[in-house]
Amino acid sequence: MRPSILPAKQATRLCTFCQRQLQQHRRITTARDLQAPSTEQHETSTLAPAARPQISLSHIAKSSTTTRRAFTRSAHLQTSQPSTATASTSPSAGTDAAAAAATTQPRVPQTHYEFFPRTLPSGPPPNGPFTIDVRALRREFLGLQAGAHPDLHPSHLKARAQATSARINEAFRTLESPLLRAQYILSLRGLDVANDETAKVEDKELLMAVLEARECIEEAGEEEELEPLRIENEERISESEDRLQELFEKDDLRGAMAEVVRLRYWVNVRESIVNWEKGKPVVLEH
């Protein structure tokens, strides 16, 4: 290696000088590096307004208004949708409820005939016959009573069961008797013969027969003496029922009313014979 031509002290001084120059260079470089970000920020701040993104107060207000409207619309939809669904489904729901109620709840009979659909499927005259099968009517009556007995129902339904049972009893008693049945049929047509005090028969032969029957009952000393009268009276009742059948088939209501009054006389004679007691006076009501 080539030896230095400078003295040792001079070489040391030169190295110290170089070191100072190097430190100064480093300080300058560090200063430049520190000034670079601030310079870039200054350049950015001095850009044109069009080059910088701006958020004005009007834009913020519009955004707030839009957001508020969207929220209000959403809340309105959430509130109105259930009511709309309810409104749209309420008619069908009401129809379904009515149909279900009609299906689960049995129809209440409007006439005595409707209590016995098996025995009297055609209803009262003129659609159905006047004469009926009393034995079949009784069988159906017993079946209805067995199902409507109050003891077979819970406590909160006992009152309804009692009312139904009473209506079934009334219907059976009315339809079982030809006289009550005929009066009931006429009442369905607006003719109240049962409570009409003016409904009398002007047939003199009928009135004479009724008076003779009363005298025979009152003068009888023994019950066996009334047997011929009983047989004759039952024939008259049977003839009257047959005439009612014909009159109801023809829908002759006026003729049926007159025949009901005749039948009522013969039924009174029957009851007087059944309830006969020696020396008891007989009162025959028309």
Side-chain angles (χ1 to χ4, degrees):
M1 181 175 180
R2 183 180 179 181
S4 175
I5 59 175
L6 296 177
K9 291 184 180 180
Q10 188 176 0
T12 302
R13 291 178 182 177
L14 182 60
C15 290
T16 301
F17 176 78
C18 291
Q19 289 177 1
R20 291 177 181 175
Q21 292 293 330
L22 180 59
Q23 291 176 358
Q24 185 178 1
H25 176 72
R26 289 176 178 175
R27 284 196 299 269
I28 294 173
T29 302
T30 302
R32 288 179 180 178
D33 293 339
L34 293 175
Q35 290 178 0
S38 60
T39 304
E40 291 179 358
Q41 293 178 359
H42 176 73
E43 291 178 355
T44 302
S45 62
T46 56
L47 289 176
R52 298 177 59 190
Q54 296 182 358
I55 302 177
S56 61
L57 294 177
S58 61
H59 179 73
I60 295 175
K62 289 181 180 180
S63 299
S64 177
T65 303
T66 303
T67 303
R68 185 168 58 254
R69 289 178 180 175
F71 178 78
T72 304
R73 189 182 300 110
S74 176
H76 176 71
L77 289 176
Q78 291 177 359
T79 306
S80 60
Q81 281 178 357
S83 60
T84 304
T86 304
S88 61
T89 57
S90 57
S92 60
T95 304
D96 295 341
T103 304
T104 56
Q105 296 182 357
R107 181 177 179 273
V108 178
Q110 302 299 316
T111 66
H112 293 341
Y113 280 79
E114 294 182 8
F115 278 102
F116 309 98
R118 292 198 301 269
T119 306
L120 307 170
S122 301
N127 297 327
F130 171 72
T131 58
I132 62 177
D133 187 349
V134 178
R135 291 183 178 180
L137 182 70
R138 180 177 291 276
R139 286 194 298 268
E140 189 169 2
F141 162 71
L142 294 176
L144 291 173
Q145 280 293 66
H149 198 282
D151 293 342
L152 301 178
H153 295 77
S155 58
H156 67 283
L157 296 178
K158 284 186 180 295
R160 180 183 298 178
Q162 290 175 353
T164 303
S165 179
R167 287 199 61 190
I168 295 173
N169 284 331
E170 180 185 1
F172 174 73
R173 288 195 306 268
T174 301
L175 298 179
E176 181 187 27
S177 168
L179 174 60
L180 298 180
R181 188 192 318 147
Q183 292 175 346
Y184 176 72
I185 293 171
L186 291 173
S187 69
L188 293 177
R189 308 293 293 275
L191 302 174
D192 188 4
V193 183
N195 300 318
D196 188 0
E197 296 295 336
T198 63
K200 298 181 180 181
V201 175
E202 302 298 335
D203 189 349
K204 294 182 179 181
E205 294 182 0
L206 173 63
L207 294 178
M208 288 299 296
V210 171
L211 291 176
E212 290 176 359
R214 185 181 69 178
E215 291 177 0
C216 182
I217 295 172
E218 289 178 345
E219 295 176 356
E222 298 293 338
E223 187 175 357
E224 290 77 7
E225 298 177 7
L226 299 176
E227 185 63 18
L229 178 60
R230 187 191 65 80
I231 294 175
E232 182 182 6
N233 191 72
E234 291 298 323
E235 292 178 355
R236 291 169 176 168
I237 291 176
S238 180
E239 292 174 359
S240 182
E241 292 175 0
D242 292 340
R243 282 194 294 269
L244 282 172
Q245 170 68 25
E246 296 175 359
L247 292 170
F248 279 122
E249 285 181 354
K250 298 176 182 179
D251 204 23
D252 185 358
L253 301 182
R254 294 298 174 183
M257 289 178 62
E259 192 61 40
V260 165
V261 176
R262 293 188 184 93
L263 179 59
R264 189 187 306 170
Y265 278 112
W266 305 133
V267 171
N268 287 335
V269 172
R270 174 197 279 171
E271 293 176 353
S272 298
I273 294 173
V274 172
N275 299 323
W276 174 85
E277 293 180 7
K278 188 177 181 179
K280 181 181 179 180
V282 178
V283 179
L284 297 177
E285 298 178 356
H286 66 274

